[in-house]
Every structure is written in C-alpha cells, then in structure tokens.
Amino acid sequence: MAAGHAVLLFAGVALVILQCGKLVSTGYAIRWITTRGQDFKVLLEASGEDFSEQLHWELLERTDARSVRPFGVMEYRLFRLSSRLNAWMGRLIRLARALLFDFMSLGLASMVFLYLASAPMLSGYAGRGVRPVAVVSAVLLVAQLVALYAEACVSYVRLGSYGMAWHDVKNYSKLRKVSPYVTEIKTLAGAGLYSLGSGAFILYFTAAHGGRFTGLRVSGTTFAGSLRDLLSCSYYSFTTVFTADSPGPVSAGARLAVVSIVTQAVCALVLAFSTFALYVVPHAQAPAAPQPPEPDPPPQPEPDPDPVPVPDAGPAMRPGSVFLIGAVAGAVTAAVIRSALAGRSRPKARRLSGRSGGYRSGTS
C-alpha cells in the first residue's frame, strides 16, 4: 500500500513538472510568433516546391526558433537530433517526445491521474500528498488548453493561420496536397475533445473530493460504478459546453470546476468563429473577374481650384480584424445562449429545492 502511494505520488510530481515545462514552452512560442512569425511565413511561402522537413528546420533556425524553450517550436530540435542518430535511437526520441511532451498525451495523462486520485477502489493508494498534486495537475490541465487557444489566436492574428509552423506545415507551402483548412479544423476538433474530456474528469475529481452539486453525485465504489459516474460527468461536461446546463454547483470547489469548463467553452467558441472567418473572408475578398475595358470617357471640364478631398477606400480586412470579429461573435453568442437558458434552469432549481433529500443522483 505504501509503495503504491509512493509510486502514484512520484508519477504525479513528474507529470506536474512536464506540464509546467509545456506551459512555459507555449508562452515562449507565443512570443516567437509575435516577434518572428512574419519572417517565417515569408520564408515558407518563398520555399515553393523545394519544401522538405530539412528545409523546415533550416527556416526555423533562420528565424531563431531555438529561443522557444526548451526544445524549440514543436520540439523541432528533438526531431532534428533523432534524424542524425541511428534508426532505433531516433524512434526512441520521437516516442519519448510523443508520450512525455506532446500536448494531447500530457492532457490524457493528467485525466488518468485525476481518476486514480479519485476512484474509491484506489483510495488506499491516493493518500496524503496525492490530492494536492492532483489539484495542481488539474489547474495546469486547464491552463494548458487556455494557452493553446491563446497561441492559436496570436498565430491567427500574426500569420493568418494557427496551424502554420507546427501542424503539418507542408500544407502551407506552395506545394499543397491538402487544404490548410483541413489542418485548422482537425486542430480545432482535437482541442474541443480535449475540453470535453478534461471537463468530465475535473467534475469527477471535484465530486469525489467533497464538491457539492444539485444534479451530480458520484457514488460508485466499484470499477463499473466509477465508469457510470464518469459517464454522468461526461454528460454534464457536454451540456455545460454546448447548452450551459451545468450540474448545479453549490460549494466553492464545484463552482470553480464549472467555471473551468465554461472558460474552455468560450475559448473554443471564439476559436471556432475565427476558423470560420479564416475560410470565409479570403473568399469574400477575392477579386472580381476581369471585365472588358470600357471606352475612354469624354473629356471633363476643369476641376474647381479647391476640390473636396475624397477619402481613400480603407485597406482590406486584416487577419487581426477577422479574429476580432470572431472573438466578439463568439463572446456574444455564448452570452446569449447562457442568458436564454438561465431562465429555463431556474425553475428546475426550484423544483429540485422542493424535493426532500437535498440531492438527486447524477446518473444520466
């Protein structure tokens, strides 16, 4: 029992360290996008059909991507090192990067750790020290996703894309085999699934450790029972993200759990509108088809000595303007949905409060 507790505690501390490293790396990446992203975009677009993975690394070197601690943008220095070693060592480095420093793998590891620290049949291993580490890991889990959305939005403003430079960068060169919008949508879908999964495990952890909800209570003491509780938490994570129908938080910890899910939902909504604008605006601003030349107009009389100046037409919408439109539209839509559904949730709360027993089961 003590050995299992020590292993779980050590794994949690190692996970928190890796999460902190990834969060710091994302912050450095945002700074690099702001300062050198435009230079990288120009070099990438000039690469044409000569683009290759080696050229990609060279472009990153020329734009000082090594300043993104600790391993560069999307850890390109690890990939470059793996290409210089023998085949087995190269595969080992790539596997270690995928398991220990990839955004999605760290998120999944944090969700598993939250479950191990909450499941009743593992309570003997999750003794003193494990719960605080799990709380820190949950906070970093949400912070990582918010940082990813911030990185994507900054990249969109600076580069007109949030996939360029790390998500299938070959799709953004002149030799495009796949539309870059497919890459953007895949990235957005992955972030959305991350939000739903992290919300479910955060609700489960909170309810298992004293968080009180009017519509959710975990009571399974077996593995099958814990899975049923997780299904209920997944349901409330889904409804909180898409319909603002939360499980009714009562305690402070429960409110914080719901706020973390709502924050991720708003970020995802803003990013979804920005992705839509990324696809629509360039097509809406496409130049019209050329028209046949018109005959020369007849000569006009001399203009007045002091003609009234006519202001020039404004420049075309920039990516930052499109992102601002997406951000405003996303925030307004989220506010309208939540305000519209607030009235529907209040009568339900009154009905719940009128029942005896205080709480109802969270099984969906």
Side-chain angles (χ1 to χ4, degrees), residues 93-106:
I93 290 177
R94 289 175 179 262
L95 179 62
R97 184 264 170 193
L99 294 178
L100 301 177
F101 212 68
D102 184 75
F103 177 81
M104 295 301 295
S105 63
L106 284 175

Side-chain angles (χ1 to χ4, degrees), residues 256-280:
L256 286 176
V258 172
V259 166
S260 70
I261 300 175
V262 173
T263 300
Q264 296 179 74
V266 172
C267 292
L269 192 59
V270 170
L271 198 55
F273 273 98
S274 299
T275 303
F276 177 76
L278 175 67
Y279 179 77
V280 171

Side-chain angles (χ1 to χ4, degrees), residues 169-184:
V169 67
K170 61 181 179 295
N171 293 333
Y172 298 89
S173 63
K174 290 185 177 179
L175 184 61
R176 293 179 177 178
K177 296 181 180 179
V178 181
S179 171
Y181 301 112
V182 175
T183 302
E184 310 286 351

Side-chain angles (χ1 to χ4, degrees), residues 7 22 39 45 88 123 154 220 238 274 282 296 309 320:
V7 170
K22 189 64 175 180
D39 298 335
E45 291 178 343
W88 285 106
S123 58
V154 171
F238 183 88
S274 299
D296 295 334

